């Protein structure tokens, strides 16, 4: 799915809801193994852009590539056509996504939640998937919670199960949409630790976050968005220490 040059490439991406333009020409490139942190105020277009990457939102103009694949659309005779649902679903298999809300199946155990997609979507043997799911729960520190239901888990534990579930599809790209914003403060660290481990293992990640410490420590690139445009981008440590744009300065002065 990915090429040597980039895992994600956005070229002039626009998105509108009616007369409201949410994305106004986004150009971004994410390299293999890169952790990109998307930061900005509410309504800046961060989450919308993330959802466009796996075609949960359609775009109105521009191109979005994951690896060498144009996402959600096919080009024929110089014209763009939206793909069929089945083709879009096939593309999504290589993209893991973790939301603010955990979206776990309440009637399934942690183990069953992690197993569901590989068995149902990829039609892999249950025994093989069960072993992999146990390994993934161990990886996120929840080996002892395999038989627990979501209602028996803390918010942080549920989010770690959600990460394991996304990893079960063996994605080449992980998207995180403010994965800690719905958590109690004392539970944030356990989720960030799992994400830190993924970064160290070389997973390509785009993270919409307000956790500046994580961006500084783990991020390879820092992108500040506001009003549907990229205002400033660069090395996280450099941008956080000395933002060049006054809008970035004003935002960071309130969150740091």
């Amino acid at each position: 799915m990915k090429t040597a040059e980039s895992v994600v490439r956005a070229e002039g991406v626009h998105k509108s809801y009616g007369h409201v333009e949410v994305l106004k020409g986004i150009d971004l490139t994410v390299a293999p193994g890169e952790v990109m942190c998307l930061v900005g105020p509410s309504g800046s277009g961060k989450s919308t852009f993330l959802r466009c990457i796996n075609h949960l939102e359609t775009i109105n103009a521009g191109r979005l590539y994951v690896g060498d694949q144009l996402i959600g659309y096919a080009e024929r005779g110089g014209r763009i056509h939206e793909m069929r649902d089945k083709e879009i679903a096939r593309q999504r298999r290589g993209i893991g996504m973790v939301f603010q809300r955990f979206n776990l199946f309440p009637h399934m155990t942690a183990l069953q939640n992690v197993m569901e997609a590989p068995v149902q979507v990829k039609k892999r043997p249950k025994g093989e998937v069960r072993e992999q799911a146990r390994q993934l729960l161990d990886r996120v520190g929840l080996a002892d919670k395999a038989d627990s239901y979501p209602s028996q888990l803390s918010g942080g534990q549920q989010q770690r199960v959600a990460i394991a579930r996304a990893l079960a599809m063996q994605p080449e790209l992980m998207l995180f949409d403010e994965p800690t914003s719905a958590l109690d403060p004392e539970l944030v660290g356990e989720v960030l630790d799992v994400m830190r481990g993924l970064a160290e293992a070389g997973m390509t990640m785009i993270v919409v976050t307000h956790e500046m410490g994580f961006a500084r420590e783990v991020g390879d690139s820092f992108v500040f968005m506001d009003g549907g445009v990229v205002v400033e981008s660069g090395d996280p440590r450099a941008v956080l220490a000395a933002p060049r744009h006054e809008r970035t300065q004003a935002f960071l002065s309130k969150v740091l």
Side-chain angles (χ1 to χ4, degrees):
M1 178 175 257
K2 67 186 179 184
T3 65
E5 296 80 32
S6 65
V7 178
V8 178
R9 189 168 84 254
E11 301 176 350
V13 172
H14 288 256
K15 172 65 181 176
S16 298
Y17 297 103
H19 298 297
V20 180
E21 195 174 18
V22 180
L23 299 177
K24 303 174 182 176
I26 302 295
D27 296 296
L28 286 175
T29 301
V30 183
E34 179 178 345
V35 178
M36 175 179 283
C37 293
L38 286 183
V39 176
S42 296
S44 59
K46 312 179 302 295
S47 294
T48 299
F49 176 66
L50 209 65
R51 291 169 65 86
C52 288
I53 294 173
N54 64 359
H55 206 67
L56 288 175
E57 298 284 357
T58 58
I59 62 177
N60 299 110
R63 299 280 193 280
L64 257 172
Y65 296 89
V66 174
D68 57 359
Q69 293 188 20
L70 182 62
I71 292 297
Y73 300 91
E75 198 162 355
R76 291 191 294 270
R79 299 192 65 176
I80 292 292
H81 305 271
E82 189 169 11
M83 288 178 172
R84 296 187 182 93
D85 290 346
K86 186 178 285 189
E87 295 170 310
I88 293 167
R90 192 176 296 119
Q91 288 186 327
R92 286 198 187 116
R93 291 182 190 179
I95 306 171
M97 187 155 187
V98 178
F99 300 87
Q100 295 179 37
R101 298 290 171 183
F102 325 122
N103 298 329
L104 299 177
F105 294 115
H107 61 289
M108 293 183 179
T109 64
L111 185 69
Q112 290 167 335
N113 265 282
V114 177
M115 290 177 60
E116 181 71 1
V119 171
Q120 297 299 327
V121 178
K122 287 192 168 181
K123 309 300 182 187
R124 290 175 54 203
K126 270 192 175 179
E128 173 188 302
V129 172
R130 184 177 291 109
E131 179 58 33
Q132 181 205 12
R134 289 191 183 280
Q135 291 172 1
L136 286 170
L137 287 173
D138 183 47
R139 183 175 178 181
V140 300
L142 292 173
D144 60 332
K145 300 294 185 183
D147 297 322
S148 298
Y149 290 90
S151 62
Q152 298 170 313
L153 301 173
S154 70
Q157 289 170 333
Q158 290 185 61
Q159 191 62 294
R160 285 187 279 155
V161 173
I163 293 172
R165 180 181 60 182
L167 292 173
M169 290 294 281
Q170 301 172 315
E172 299 205 32
L173 168 68
M174 285 285 284
L175 308 176
F176 292 87
D177 189 5
E178 298 192 37
T180 60
S181 65
L183 300 178
D184 292 334
E186 66 267 25
L187 302 177
V188 168
E190 64 189 49
V191 174
L192 293 180
D193 284 345
V194 170
M195 294 170 64
R196 191 176 288 111
L198 291 178
E200 290 169 357
M203 176 63 74
T204 307
M205 298 158 59
I206 304 179
V207 185
V208 173
T209 185
H210 294 294
E211 301 291 339
M212 298 303 140
F214 176 85
R216 181 186 290 111
E217 179 192 347
V218 182
D220 297 301
S221 56
F222 184 100
V223 175
F224 177 71
M225 288 180 64
D226 190 29
V229 300
V230 173
V231 175
E232 183 168 350
S233 62
D235 178 87
R237 289 147 290 279
V239 176
L240 287 166
R244 299 185 304 276
H245 196 283
E246 61 182 30
R247 183 66 191 94
T248 318
Q249 294 167 8
F251 177 81
L252 291 177
S253 70
K254 293 174 182 172
V255 300
L256 290 176

